[in-house]
Amino acid sequence: MVRMTTRTSRTGRRADALSKERIVAAAIEILDADGESALTFRALAARLATGSGAIYWHVANKGELLAAACDDVVARAMAPAGRSTRPSDAVRNAALGVFDAIDAHPWVGTQLIAEPWQPAVVDIFERLGAPLEELGVPASGQFDAASALLSHLLGLAGQYAAGARLLPPDADRSDFLRDVAERWASLDPEEHPFVHRMAARLPRHDDRAQFLAGIDLFLAGVAGAADPAA
Amino acid sequence: MVRMTTRTSRTGRRADALSKERIVAAAIEILDADGESALTFRALAARLATGSGAIYWHVANKGELLAAACDDVVARAMAPAGRSTRPSDAVRNAALGVFDAIDAHPWVGTQLIAEPWQPAVVDIFERLGAPLEELGVPASGQFDAASALLSHLLGLAGQYAAGARLLPPDADRSDFLRDVAERWASLDPEEHPFVHRMAARLPRHDDRAQFLAGIDLFLAGVAGAADPAA
DNA sequence: ACATGTCTGGAACAAAGTTCCAGAATGGAT
DNA sequence: ATCCATTCTGGAACTTTGTTCCAGACATGT
């Protein structure tokens, strides 16, 4: 009787045996410590004290590895969400949960937008969309509203990841903001009046608060569409 | 007297001379015809009948090349926007202009989110934010509102680009949507009630209309914040 | 013991970005 | 007209990375 399954996690194997879980965990450590560009199969093999071929026995390719790492982080971020709150808070909590996860692991942002059909994104979509019913959004508008929320979230995720890619290790974020503000301020006020004006506000802005403000704008719009007479 | 500048575009040079413009134009052709993965310096050199070294004399690296190509497309997309319309229509027009550009050139989406500090994004930010003043959004909220609009746009851009990366050449988009709908429908209705419900709506949805609906949700929220008493 | 299927480690390959450099092309100075 | 410095070109070569291949170690059932 031949066991054809690949994933047999049999009982007695040496303790330091490779497994998809251990590989994903090591990948997350590398990504968090040294950024996206540091995750190579060679670095991973070195950290696991093995060869790249051994890794490929457990993981099909780099995309699958990244997706698994991303799922892992997102699943953890989604877990602690009480169902007891108001629906608008449910949306806020879900969004902030993902925001905080991306803040802690910027590479998740890259992965989320790189492959929007992966399970993690579907989960996020669910969490953002489910409360809309209770908010009184008509069925016909729920898809549009949830998609807009998701796009907002993914867009921010992408920008965050891009920022992390630019700033080598961690670096002082306020220095970076000051640089951008200077560049904005030096733009021609005739051609870019708005950006020129916003330059003054950039240095003391709070990413998280700004993100939440965006969510609230959405929710305000949704509420208006839900009961235009109220 | 030595001319130190690099960019002297002198008058008499042979007609088929390389230039950043010609290189960018060729890059756009390749990107549009065969997708992001087809743009390599070797392919570019082959199309321009030269070597990769010659290209590097005009362009610092691949990032700069992509940014230039992206700027080119975005600049064209922004051009035809009358200032005569209502401010809310100005926002819609700017957003739809970028949407249509991304629809025609999905690789622009990748580039926009990959480097959100590039000029093209600043331009978009300007066009999205400038009308907010006329909409009566208080100065303190304009930054938040414009950022939210930008994130929404970039998020959608990323998803569009991801879709184009997945579907090899052009392929029938409705086939793809049907596949995704099936996968959504096969999810556990207990765990993913919302996504499960949305599966039915997915096949006959319109990307552009959905994007515009998102913008309108935002504008509705912005209007509410602008004059909560009206 | 032996055979079979599972798993490992590292060599080897292919593709892509980038660097290097020898030399052609060009325009000004003598 | 000749020479020279500079600009520009073409392609070879280097480096890194994802991926494939494969020889063999390990464990298990007969």
Side-chain angles (χ1 to χ4, degrees), chain B residues 13-14 18 42 50 53-54 57-58:
Chain B
R13 197 71 177 171
R14 56 181 160 116
L18 233 41
R42 283 166 178 79
T50 179
W57 202 91
H58 297 273

Side-chain angles (χ1 to χ4, degrees), chain A residues 3 10 13-14 18 42 50 53-54 57-58:
Chain A
R3 208 84 62 74
R10 72 170 81 307
R13 196 70 178 171
R14 55 182 159 119
L18 234 40
R42 281 165 181 80
T50 180
W57 201 90
H58 297 273

Side-chain angles (χ1 to χ4, degrees), chain A residues 98 102 108-116 121 124 128 147-160 211, chain B residues 113 151-152 154-156 158-159:
Chain A
V98 179
I102 292 169
V108 170
T110 303
Q111 179 57 22
L112 249 29
I113 47 174
E115 301 189 352
V121 176
I124 296 171
L128 293 175
S147 293
L149 278 165
L150 182 66
S151 285
H152 180 51
L153 186 57
L154 293 184
L156 188 112
Q159 291 177 72
Y160 231 89
F211 172 66
Chain B
I113 47 171
S151 285
H152 180 51
L154 293 184
L156 189 113
Q159 290 177 74

Side-chain angles (χ1 to χ4, degrees), chain B residues 169-191:
Chain B
D170 40 22
D172 202 353
R173 192 161 163 71
S174 56
D175 283 353
F176 172 65
L177 285 180
R178 188 147 28 78
D179 279 1
V180 176
E182 271 177 34
R183 223 174 322 157
W184 284 12
S186 70
L187 288 173
D188 179 5
E190 294 294 320
E191 225 174 330

Side-chain angles (χ1 to χ4, degrees), chain A residues 56 73 78 124 126 130 137 141 156-157 161 181 190 212 218:
Chain A
Y56 273 95
V73 170
M78 297 291 234
I124 296 171
E126 174 70 33
V137 179
L156 188 112
E190 295 293 321
L212 191 54
F218 249 124

